[in-house]
Coordinates of all heavy atoms in Angstrom, one line a residue:
M97 N 33.3 -2.6 42.7 CA 32.3 -2.7 43.6 C 32.1 -4.1 44.1 O 31.9 -4.4 45.3 CB 31.0 -2.2 43.0 CG 29.8 -2.2 44.0 SD 30.1 -1.0 45.3 CE 28.7 -1.1 46.2
K98 N 32.3 -5.1 43.2 CA 32.1 -6.5 43.6 C 33.3 -6.9 44.5 O 33.0 -7.6 45.5 CB 32.2 -7.4 42.3 CG 31.8 -8.8 42.6 CD 31.5 -9.5 41.3 CE 32.7 -10.2 40.7 NZ 32.5 -11.0 39.5
K99 N 34.5 -6.5 44.2 CA 35.6 -6.8 45.1 C 35.4 -6.2 46.5 O 35.7 -6.9 47.5 CB 36.9 -6.3 44.5 CG 37.4 -7.1 43.4 CD 38.7 -6.5 42.9 CE 39.3 -7.3 41.7 NZ 40.6 -6.9 41.3
L100 N 34.8 -5.0 46.6 CA 34.6 -4.4 47.9 C 33.6 -5.2 48.7 O 33.7 -5.5 49.9 CB 34.1 -3.0 47.8 CG 33.7 -2.3 49.1 CD1 35.0 -2.1 49.9 CD2 33.1 -0.9 48.8
L101 N 32.5 -5.7 48.0 CA 31.5 -6.5 48.7 C 32.0 -7.8 49.2 O 31.7 -8.3 50.3 CB 30.3 -6.7 47.8 CG 29.4 -5.4 47.5 CD1 28.4 -5.8 46.5 CD2 28.8 -4.9 48.8
L102 N 32.9 -8.4 48.3 CA 33.5 -9.7 48.7 C 34.4 -9.5 49.9 O 34.5 -10.3 50.8 CB 34.2 -10.3 47.6 CG 33.4 -10.8 46.4 CD1 34.2 -11.3 45.3 CD2 32.4 -11.9 46.9
F103 N 35.2 -8.4 49.9 CA 36.1 -8.1 51.1 C 35.2 -7.9 52.3 O 35.6 -8.4 53.4 CB 36.9 -6.8 50.8 CG 37.8 -6.4 51.9 CD1 38.9 -7.1 52.2 CD2 37.4 -5.4 52.7 CE1 39.7 -6.8 53.3 CE2 38.2 -5.0 53.8 CZ 39.4 -5.7 54.1
I104 N 34.1 -7.1 52.2 CA 33.3 -6.9 53.4 C 32.7 -8.3 53.9 O 32.6 -8.5 55.1 CB 32.1 -5.9 53.1 CG1 32.7 -4.5 52.9 CG2 31.1 -5.9 54.2 CD1 31.8 -3.5 52.3
L105 N 32.3 -9.1 53.0 CA 31.9 -10.5 53.4 C 32.9 -11.3 54.1 O 32.7 -11.8 55.2 CB 31.4 -11.3 52.1 CG 31.0 -12.7 52.4 CD1 29.7 -12.8 53.2 CD2 30.8 -13.4 51.0
I106 N 34.1 -11.3 53.6 CA 35.2 -11.9 54.3 C 35.5 -11.4 55.7 O 35.7 -12.1 56.6 CB 36.5 -11.9 53.4 CG1 36.3 -12.7 52.1 CG2 37.7 -12.4 54.2 CD1 37.4 -12.5 51.1
A107 N 35.5 -10.0 55.7 CA 35.8 -9.4 57.0 C 34.7 -9.7 58.0 O 35.0 -9.9 59.2 CB 35.9 -7.9 56.8
A108 N 33.4 -9.7 57.6 CA 32.3 -10.0 58.5 C 32.4 -11.5 59.0 O 32.2 -11.7 60.2 CB 31.0 -9.8 57.8
V109 N 32.7 -12.4 58.1 CA 32.9 -13.8 58.6 C 34.1 -13.9 59.5 O 34.0 -14.7 60.5 CB 33.0 -14.7 57.3 CG1 33.3 -16.1 57.8 CG2 31.7 -14.7 56.6
Y110 N 35.1 -13.2 59.2 CA 36.3 -13.2 60.1 C 35.9 -12.7 61.5 O 36.3 -13.3 62.5 CB 37.4 -12.4 59.6 CG 38.6 -12.3 60.5 CD1 39.5 -13.4 60.6 CD2 38.8 -11.2 61.3 CE1 40.6 -13.4 61.4 CE2 39.9 -11.2 62.1 CZ 40.8 -12.2 62.2 OH 41.8 -12.2 63.1
V111 N 35.2 -11.6 61.6 CA 34.8 -11.0 62.9 C 33.8 -12.0 63.6 O 33.9 -12.2 64.8 CB 34.1 -9.7 62.7 CG1 33.4 -9.2 64.0 CG2 35.2 -8.6 62.2
L112 N 32.9 -12.6 62.9 CA 32.0 -13.6 63.5 C 32.7 -14.8 64.1 O 32.2 -15.5 64.9 CB 30.9 -14.0 62.5 CG 29.9 -13.0 62.2 CD1 29.0 -13.5 61.0 CD2 29.1 -12.6 63.4
H113 N 33.9 -15.1 63.5 CA 34.6 -16.3 64.0 C 35.1 -16.0 65.5 O 35.3 -17.0 66.2 CB 35.8 -16.6 63.1 CG 36.5 -17.8 63.5 ND1 37.8 -17.8 64.1 CD2 36.2 -19.1 63.3 CE1 38.1 -19.1 64.3 NE2 37.2 -19.9 63.8
Q114 N 35.3 -14.7 65.8 CA 35.8 -14.4 67.2 C 34.6 -14.3 68.1 O 34.1 -13.3 68.5 CB 36.5 -13.1 67.2 CG 37.5 -12.9 66.0 CD 38.5 -14.0 66.0 OE1 39.1 -14.4 67.0 NE2 38.9 -14.5 64.8
D115 N 34.1 -15.5 68.6 CA 32.8 -15.5 69.3 C 33.0 -15.4 70.8 O 32.6 -16.2 71.6 CB 32.1 -16.8 69.0 CG 32.8 -18.0 69.5 OD1 34.0 -18.0 69.6 OD2 32.1 -19.0 69.8
Y116 N 33.7 -14.4 71.2 CA 34.0 -14.2 72.6 C 32.7 -14.0 73.4 O 32.6 -14.2 74.6 CB 34.9 -13.0 72.9 CG 34.3 -11.7 72.4 CD1 33.5 -10.9 73.2 CD2 34.6 -11.2 71.1 CE1 33.0 -9.7 72.7 CE2 34.1 -10.0 70.6 CZ 33.3 -9.3 71.4 OH 32.8 -8.1 70.9
W117 N 31.6 -13.7 72.8 CA 30.3 -13.5 73.5 C 29.7 -14.8 74.0 O 28.8 -14.8 74.8 CB 29.3 -12.7 72.7 CG 29.1 -13.2 71.3 CD1 28.2 -14.2 71.0 CD2 29.8 -12.9 70.1 NE1 28.3 -14.5 69.7 CE2 29.2 -13.7 69.1 CE3 30.8 -12.0 69.8 CZ2 29.7 -13.6 67.8 CZ3 31.2 -11.9 68.5 CH2 30.6 -12.7 67.5
N118 N 30.1 -15.9 73.5 CA 29.6 -17.2 73.9 C 30.5 -17.9 74.9 O 30.1 -19.0 75.4 CB 29.5 -18.1 72.7 CG 28.3 -17.8 71.8 OD1 27.3 -17.3 72.3 ND2 28.4 -18.1 70.6
W119 N 31.6 -17.3 75.3 CA 32.5 -18.0 76.2 C 31.9 -18.3 77.6 O 32.2 -19.4 78.1 CB 33.7 -17.2 76.4 CG 34.6 -17.1 75.2 CD1 34.5 -17.8 74.1 CD2 35.8 -16.4 75.1 NE1 35.5 -17.5 73.2 CE2 36.4 -16.6 73.8 CE3 36.6 -15.5 75.9 CZ2 37.5 -16.1 73.3 CZ3 37.7 -15.0 75.5 CH2 38.2 -15.2 74.2
K120 N 31.1 -17.5 78.1 CA 30.5 -17.6 79.5 C 29.0 -18.1 79.4 O 28.4 -18.2 80.4 CB 30.6 -16.4 80.3 CG 32.1 -16.0 80.5 CD 32.2 -14.8 81.3 CE 33.7 -14.4 81.5 NZ 33.9 -13.2 82.3
N121 N 28.5 -18.4 78.2 CA 27.1 -18.8 78.1 C 27.1 -20.3 78.3 O 27.6 -21.1 77.6 CB 26.6 -18.5 76.7 CG 25.1 -18.7 76.6 OD1 24.5 -19.4 77.4 ND2 24.6 -18.1 75.6
A122 N 26.4 -20.7 79.4 CA 26.3 -22.2 79.7 C 25.0 -22.8 79.2 O 24.7 -24.0 79.5 CB 26.4 -22.4 81.2
G123 N 24.3 -22.1 78.4 CA 23.0 -22.6 77.9 C 23.2 -23.7 76.9 O 24.3 -24.0 76.4
L124 N 22.1 -24.4 76.7 CA 22.1 -25.5 75.7 C 21.1 -25.2 74.6 O 20.0 -24.7 74.8 CB 21.7 -26.8 76.4 CG 22.6 -27.3 77.5 CD1 22.0 -28.6 78.2 CD2 24.0 -27.6 77.0
V125 N 21.4 -25.6 73.4 CA 20.5 -25.5 72.3 C 19.9 -26.9 72.0 O 20.6 -27.9 72.1 CB 21.3 -25.0 71.0 CG1 20.4 -25.0 69.8 CG2 22.0 -23.7 71.3
F126 N 18.6 -27.0 71.9 CA 17.9 -28.2 71.7 C 18.0 -29.1 72.9 O 17.9 -30.3 72.8 CB 18.3 -29.0 70.5 CG 18.2 -28.2 69.2 CD1 19.4 -28.0 68.4 CD2 17.0 -27.7 68.8 CE1 19.3 -27.3 67.2 CE2 16.9 -26.9 67.6 CZ 18.0 -26.8 66.8
G127 N 18.4 -28.5 74.0 CA 18.5 -29.3 75.3 C 19.8 -30.1 75.5 O 19.9 -30.7 76.5
F128 N 20.6 -30.2 74.5 CA 21.8 -31.0 74.7 C 23.1 -30.4 74.1 O 24.2 -30.8 74.3 CB 21.6 -32.4 74.0 CG 21.5 -32.4 72.5 CD1 22.6 -32.6 71.7 CD2 20.2 -32.1 71.9 CE1 22.4 -32.5 70.3 CE2 20.1 -32.1 70.6 CZ 21.2 -32.3 69.8
L129 N 22.9 -29.4 73.2 CA 24.1 -28.9 72.5 C 24.5 -27.5 73.1 O 23.7 -26.6 73.2 CB 23.7 -28.7 71.0 CG 24.7 -28.4 70.0 CD1 25.7 -29.5 69.9 CD2 24.1 -28.2 68.6
P130 N 25.8 -27.5 73.6 CA 26.2 -26.2 74.1 C 26.2 -25.1 73.1 O 26.4 -25.3 71.9 CB 27.7 -26.5 74.5 CG 27.8 -28.0 74.6 CD 26.8 -28.5 73.7
V131 N 25.9 -23.9 73.6 CA 25.7 -22.7 72.7 C 27.0 -22.5 71.8 O 26.8 -22.2 70.6 CB 25.4 -21.5 73.6 CG1 25.4 -20.2 72.7 CG2 24.1 -21.6 74.2
G132 N 28.1 -22.6 72.4 CA 29.4 -22.4 71.6 C 29.5 -23.4 70.5 O 29.9 -23.0 69.4
L133 N 29.2 -24.6 70.8 CA 29.3 -25.7 69.7 C 28.2 -25.4 68.6 O 28.5 -25.6 67.4 CB 29.1 -27.1 70.3 CG 29.4 -28.2 69.4 CD1 30.7 -28.1 68.7 CD2 29.2 -29.5 70.2
A134 N 27.0 -25.1 69.0 CA 26.0 -24.8 68.1 C 26.4 -23.6 67.2 O 26.1 -23.6 66.0 CB 24.6 -24.5 68.8
Y135 N 26.9 -22.6 67.8 CA 27.4 -21.4 67.1 C 28.4 -21.8 66.1 O 28.4 -21.3 64.9 CB 28.0 -20.4 68.1 CG 28.5 -19.1 67.4 CD1 27.6 -18.1 67.0 CD2 29.8 -19.0 67.0 CE1 28.0 -17.0 66.4 CE2 30.3 -17.9 66.4 CZ 29.4 -16.9 66.0 OH 29.8 -15.8 65.4
H136 N 29.4 -22.6 66.4 CA 30.4 -23.0 65.5 C 29.9 -23.9 64.4 O 30.4 -23.9 63.3 CB 31.6 -23.6 66.2 CG 32.5 -22.5 66.7 ND1 33.5 -21.9 65.9 CD2 32.6 -22.0 67.9 CE1 34.1 -21.0 66.6 NE2 33.6 -21.0 67.8
A137 N 28.9 -24.7 64.7 CA 28.2 -25.5 63.6 C 27.6 -24.5 62.6 O 27.8 -24.7 61.4 CB 27.2 -26.4 64.2
A138 N 26.9 -23.5 63.1 CA 26.3 -22.6 62.2 C 27.3 -21.7 61.5 O 27.2 -21.4 60.3 CB 25.3 -21.7 63.0
Y139 N 28.4 -21.4 62.2 CA 29.5 -20.7 61.6 C 30.1 -21.5 60.4 O 30.5 -20.9 59.4 CB 30.5 -20.3 62.6 CG 31.7 -19.6 62.0 CD1 31.7 -18.3 61.7 CD2 32.9 -20.3 61.7 CE1 32.7 -17.6 61.1 CE2 33.9 -19.7 61.1 CZ 33.9 -18.4 60.8 OH 34.9 -17.7 60.2
S140 N 30.3 -22.8 60.6 CA 30.8 -23.6 59.6 C 30.0 -23.6 58.3 O 30.5 -23.6 57.2 CB 31.0 -25.1 60.1 OG 31.9 -25.1 61.2
I141 N 28.7 -23.6 58.5 CA 27.8 -23.5 57.3 C 27.9 -22.2 56.6 O 28.0 -22.1 55.4 CB 26.3 -23.8 57.7 CG1 26.2 -25.3 58.2 CG2 25.4 -23.5 56.6 CD1 24.9 -25.6 58.9
L142 N 28.0 -21.1 57.4 CA 28.3 -19.8 56.9 C 29.6 -19.7 56.1 O 29.6 -19.1 55.0 CB 28.2 -18.7 58.0 CG 28.5 -17.3 57.5 CD1 27.5 -16.8 56.6 CD2 28.7 -16.4 58.8
A143 N 30.6 -20.3 56.7 CA 31.9 -20.2 56.0 C 31.9 -21.0 54.7 O 32.5 -20.6 53.7 CB 33.0 -20.8 56.9
T144 N 31.1 -22.1 54.7 CA 31.0 -22.9 53.5 C 30.3 -22.1 52.4 O 30.7 -22.1 51.2 CB 30.2 -24.2 53.7 OG1 30.9 -24.9 54.7 CG2 30.0 -25.0 52.5
L145 N 29.2 -21.4 52.8 CA 28.5 -20.5 51.8 C 29.4 -19.4 51.3 O 29.3 -19.1 50.1 CB 27.2 -20.0 52.5 CG 26.1 -21.0 52.8 CD1 25.0 -20.4 53.6 CD2 25.6 -21.7 51.5
M146 N 30.2 -18.8 52.2 CA 31.1 -17.8 51.8 C 32.1 -18.3 50.8 O 32.3 -17.6 49.8 CB 31.8 -17.2 53.0 CG 32.7 -16.0 52.6 SD 33.9 -15.6 53.9 CE 35.0 -17.0 53.8
M147 N 32.6 -19.5 51.0 CA 33.6 -20.0 50.1 C 33.0 -20.3 48.7 O 33.6 -20.1 47.7 CB 34.2 -21.3 50.6 CG 35.2 -21.0 51.8 SD 36.5 -19.8 51.4 CE 37.4 -20.7 50.2
A148 N 31.7 -20.8 48.7 CA 31.0 -21.0 47.5 C 30.8 -19.7 46.7 O 31.0 -19.6 45.5 CB 29.7 -21.7 47.8
V149 N 30.5 -18.6 47.4 CA 30.3 -17.3 46.8 C 31.6 -16.8 46.2 O 31.7 -16.3 45.1 CB 29.7 -16.3 47.8 CG1 29.8 -14.9 47.2 CG2 28.3 -16.7 48.1
L150 N 32.7 -17.0 47.0 CA 34.0 -16.6 46.5 C 34.5 -17.4 45.3 O 35.0 -16.8 44.3 CB 35.1 -16.7 47.6 CG 34.9 -15.8 48.8 CD1 36.0 -16.1 49.8 CD2 35.2 -14.4 48.3
V151 N 34.2 -18.7 45.3 CA 34.6 -19.4 44.1 C 33.7 -19.0 42.9 O 34.2 -18.9 41.8 CB 34.4 -21.0 44.4 CG1 34.4 -21.8 43.1 CG2 35.5 -21.4 45.3
K152 N 32.5 -18.8 43.1 CA 31.6 -18.4 42.0 C 31.9 -17.0 41.5 O 31.9 -16.7 40.2 CB 30.1 -18.4 42.5 CG 29.1 -17.9 41.5 CD 28.8 -19.0 40.5 CE 27.7 -18.5 39.6 NZ 27.5 -19.5 38.5
C153 N 32.3 -16.0 42.3 CA 32.5 -14.7 41.9 C 33.9 -14.2 41.8 O 34.2 -13.2 41.0 CB 31.9 -13.7 43.0 SG 30.1 -13.9 43.2
A154 N 34.9 -14.9 42.4 CA 36.2 -14.4 42.3 C 37.3 -15.4 41.9 O 38.5 -15.2 42.1 CB 36.6 -13.8 43.7
W155 N 36.9 -16.5 41.3 CA 37.8 -17.5 40.9 C 38.6 -17.0 39.7 O 38.1 -16.5 38.7 CB 37.1 -18.8 40.4 CG 38.1 -19.9 40.1 CD1 38.5 -20.3 38.9 CD2 38.7 -20.8 41.1 NE1 39.4 -21.3 39.0 CE2 39.5 -21.6 40.4 CE3 38.6 -20.9 42.5 CZ2 40.2 -22.6 41.0 CZ3 39.4 -21.9 43.1 CH2 40.2 -22.7 42.3
P156 N 40.0 -17.0 39.8 CA 40.8 -16.5 38.7 C 40.7 -17.4 37.4 O 41.0 -18.5 37.4 CB 42.2 -16.5 39.3 CG 42.2 -17.5 40.4 CD 40.8 -17.6 40.9
E157 N 40.1 -16.8 36.4 CA 39.8 -17.5 35.1 C 41.1 -18.0 34.5 O 41.1 -19.0 33.8 CB 39.0 -16.7 34.2 CG 37.6 -16.3 34.7 CD 36.7 -17.5 34.7 OE1 36.9 -18.4 33.9 OE2 35.8 -17.5 35.5
H158 N 42.2 -17.2 34.6 CA 43.4 -17.6 33.9 C 44.0 -18.9 34.4 O 44.8 -19.5 33.7 CB 44.4 -16.4 34.0 CG 45.0 -16.3 35.4 ND1 44.3 -15.6 36.4 CD2 46.1 -16.7 36.0 CE1 45.0 -15.6 37.5 NE2 46.1 -16.3 37.3
L159 N 43.7 -19.4 35.6 CA 44.2 -20.6 36.1 C 43.5 -21.8 35.4 O 44.0 -22.9 35.4 CB 43.9 -20.7 37.6 CG 44.7 -19.8 38.4 CD1 44.4 -19.9 39.9 CD2 46.2 -19.9 38.2
E160 N 42.4 -21.6 34.8 CA 41.6 -22.6 34.1 C 42.1 -22.9 32.7 O 41.9 -23.9 32.1 CB 40.1 -22.3 34.0 CG 39.5 -22.2 35.4 CD 39.5 -23.5 36.1 OE1 39.3 -24.6 35.5 OE2 39.6 -23.5 37.4
Q161 N 42.9 -21.9 32.1 CA 43.4 -22.1 30.8 C 44.6 -23.0 30.8 O 45.5 -22.8 31.6 CB 43.7 -20.7 30.2 CG 42.5 -19.8 30.1 CD 42.9 -18.4 29.7 OE1 44.1 -18.1 29.6 NE2 41.9 -17.6 29.5
T162 N 44.6 -24.0 29.9 CA 45.8 -24.9 29.7 C 46.4 -24.7 28.4 O 45.7 -24.3 27.4 CB 45.3 -26.3 30.0 OG1 44.4 -26.6 29.0 CG2 44.8 -26.5 31.3
E163 N 47.7 -25.0 28.3 CA 48.4 -24.9 27.0 C 48.2 -26.3 26.3 O 48.2 -27.3 26.9 CB 49.8 -24.7 27.3 CG 50.1 -23.3 27.9 CD 51.6 -23.1 28.2 OE1 52.4 -23.8 27.5 OE2 51.9 -22.2 28.9
P164 N 48.1 -26.2 25.0 CA 48.0 -27.5 24.3 C 49.3 -28.3 24.4 O 50.4 -27.7 24.4 CB 47.7 -27.0 22.8 CG 48.2 -25.7 22.7 CD 48.1 -25.1 24.1
E165 N 49.1 -29.6 24.4 CA 50.3 -30.5 24.5 C 51.0 -30.6 23.2 O 50.4 -30.6 22.1 CB 49.9 -31.9 25.0 CG 49.4 -31.9 26.4 CD 49.1 -33.3 26.8 OE1 49.7 -34.2 26.3 OE2 48.2 -33.4 27.7
D166 N 52.3 -30.7 23.2 CA 53.1 -31.0 22.0 C 52.9 -32.4 21.5 O 52.7 -33.3 22.3 CB 54.6 -30.7 22.3 CG 54.9 -29.3 22.6 OD1 54.1 -28.4 22.2 OD2 56.0 -29.0 23.2
D167 N 53.0 -32.6 20.3 CA 52.9 -34.0 19.7 C 54.0 -34.9 20.2 O 53.8 -36.1 20.5 CB 52.9 -33.9 18.2 CG 51.6 -33.4 17.6 OD1 50.6 -33.3 18.4 OD2 51.6 -32.9 16.5
D168 N 55.2 -34.4 20.4 CA 56.3 -35.2 20.9 C 56.1 -35.7 22.3 O 56.4 -36.8 22.6 CB 57.6 -34.4 20.9 CG 58.1 -34.1 19.5 OD1 57.7 -34.8 18.6 OD2 58.9 -33.2 19.3
K169 N 55.4 -34.9 23.2 CA 55.2 -35.3 24.5 C 54.1 -36.4 24.6 O 54.1 -37.3 25.4 CB 54.8 -34.1 25.4 CG 55.8 -33.1 25.7 CD 55.4 -32.0 26.6 CE 56.5 -31.0 26.8 NZ 56.0 -29.9 27.6
K170 N 53.1 -36.3 23.7 CA 52.1 -37.3 23.6 C 52.6 -38.7 23.2 O 52.2 -39.7 23.7 CB 51.0 -36.9 22.6 CG 50.1 -35.8 23.1 CD 49.0 -35.5 22.0 CE 48.1 -34.4 22.4 NZ 47.2 -34.1 21.4
K171 N 53.6 -38.7 22.3 CA 54.2 -39.9 21.8 C 55.3 -40.5 22.7 O 55.8 -41.6 22.5 CB 54.7 -39.7 20.4 CG 53.7 -39.4 19.4 CD 54.3 -39.1 18.0 CE 53.2 -38.7 17.0 NZ 53.8 -38.2 15.8
G172 N 55.7 -39.7 23.6 CA 56.8 -40.1 24.5 C 58.1 -39.9 23.9 O 59.1 -40.5 24.4
G173 N 58.2 -39.2 22.8 CA 59.5 -38.9 22.1 C 60.3 -37.9 22.8 O 60.0 -37.4 23.9
K174 N 61.5 -37.7 22.2 CA 62.4 -36.7 22.8 C 62.2 -35.3 22.3 O 61.8 -35.1 21.3 CB 63.8 -37.2 22.5 CG 64.1 -38.5 23.1 CD 65.5 -38.9 22.7 CE 65.8 -40.3 23.1 NZ 67.0 -40.8 22.7

């Protein structure tokens, strides 16, 4: 279930990246910021949050495990 929800989150963020609905909008946000640029600023924050959720929920634990070093390698021996 968790994998399905993460997949839906990724797909939703991917679809939101295709902002064709802002291409012809000449409006300004806060009086100086074009709508498309404001949208992408907000999208960047959303993508950052999505990546944080992915790292928290789907990080592969096996990559964090390290093997103990041999005593010969520590001493620089052969």
Side-chain angles (χ1 to χ4, degrees):
M97 185 65 181
K98 189 166 92 175
K99 285 183 179 181
L100 177 64
L101 291 174
L102 291 174
F103 178 76
I104 290 171
L105 175 67
I106 292 169
V109 171
Y110 177 78
V111 169
L112 287 173
H113 186 253
Q114 316 302 318
D115 67 333
Y116 59 87
W117 54 85
N118 283 330
W119 288 357
K120 295 181 181 179
N121 189 344
L124 297 175
V125 176
F126 304 123
F128 66 95
L129 193 61
V131 171
L133 186 58
Y135 179 84
H136 276 279
Y139 177 81
S140 297
I141 294 169
L142 175 66
T144 302
L145 293 173
M146 180 195 72
M147 290 304 294
V149 168
L150 288 176
V151 167
K152 178 75 176 173
C153 297
W155 187 263
E157 296 289 332
H158 69 279
L159 294 178
E160 297 294 326
Q161 298 172 355
T162 58
E163 296 180 17
E165 293 184 28
D166 292 339
D167 287 340
D168 290 340
K169 289 182 181 177
K170 285 183 181 176
K171 296 176 184 173
K174 297 177 186 175

